[in-house]
Amino acid sequence: MTKTILIINGPNLDMLGTRQPEVYGHDTLADVEALCQRIAKEEGVEIDFRQSDSESEIMGWIKQSRGKTAGLLINPAGFTSTSIAILDSLLIYDAPIIEVHISPLFRRDEFRHLSYVSKAATAKIEGFGIRGYDFAIRKLAELANAR
């Protein structure tokens, strides 16, 4: 297994920077990826950075990465409170999982408070903007180095 962290971004995160900047800020997904690349280099790990609006594509990525990645950072976005199918894929993943959300879900619409992903996650980081990705990569790198 390589020390690669799979980073999955869910639906509409490709619209960061223009979609509801009062909620998500002005950083773009390219800014998030640049941050992740920088932190990964500092921590001595590789990243595989992806985004999809497709639930089935996300499920495929999770299943294909079993035994091949040291950890998974997932921002499930709109699938957070709706996808039992992604939860089922995460439950068969064999390395640490950190769920990340840019905005604090507990301050959003009540239907967003439920996270199926949390039921499989090792940890959850929310409400720190894109810095949550920084924290998650550092922790996943620490866990990978301890394995």
Side-chain angles (χ1 to χ4, degrees):
M1 181 186 320
T2 65
K3 288 189 181 174
T4 299
I5 296 168
L6 176 61
I7 300 173
I8 297 176
N9 294 280
N12 298 313
L13 289 172
D14 57 332
M15 300 304 295
L16 283 177
T18 58
R19 177 181 174 237
Q20 293 179 278
E22 70 281 1
V23 174
Y24 302 107
H26 295 280
D27 295 303
T28 66
L29 192 60
D31 296 329
V32 175
E33 184 172 10
L35 171 70
C36 292
Q37 289 287 0
R38 182 176 58 78
I39 301 304
K41 185 175 180 180
E42 288 176 14
E43 295 295 324
V45 295
E46 301 289 324
I47 63 165
D48 180 357
F49 193 91
R50 302 176 185 207
Q51 187 278 327
S52 181
D53 294 335
S54 168
E55 184 177 35
S56 63
E57 188 168 39
I58 290 170
M59 292 165 49
W61 291 338
I62 294 166
K63 291 184 279 187
Q64 292 163 8
S65 69
R66 290 183 73 235
K68 298 175 185 163
T69 55
L72 170 63
L73 184 166
I74 183 167
N75 183 340
F79 292 136
T80 303
S81 56
T82 64
S83 184
I84 294 170
I86 289 176
L87 167 62
D88 287 344
S89 296
L90 291 169
L91 288 171
I92 62 171
Y93 183 72
D94 56 352
I97 301 165
I98 298 184
E99 177 182 2
V100 172
H101 296 280
I102 294 168
S103 66
L105 300 184
F106 58 87
R107 290 187 145 178
R108 307 276 310 276
D109 307 298
E110 189 161 333
F111 70 87
R112 296 182 193 278
H113 295 185
L114 170 67
S115 171
Y116 287 109
V117 171
S118 292
K119 297 181 183 311
T122 307
K124 180 178 179 181
I125 299 169
E126 64 179 280
F128 291 99
I130 70 169
R131 288 290 314 278
Y133 287 78
D134 176 337
F135 304 149
I137 291 169
R138 291 185 194 281
K139 186 59 180 177
L140 286 169
E142 177 186 320
L143 293 170
N145 289 327
R147 287 179 122 191

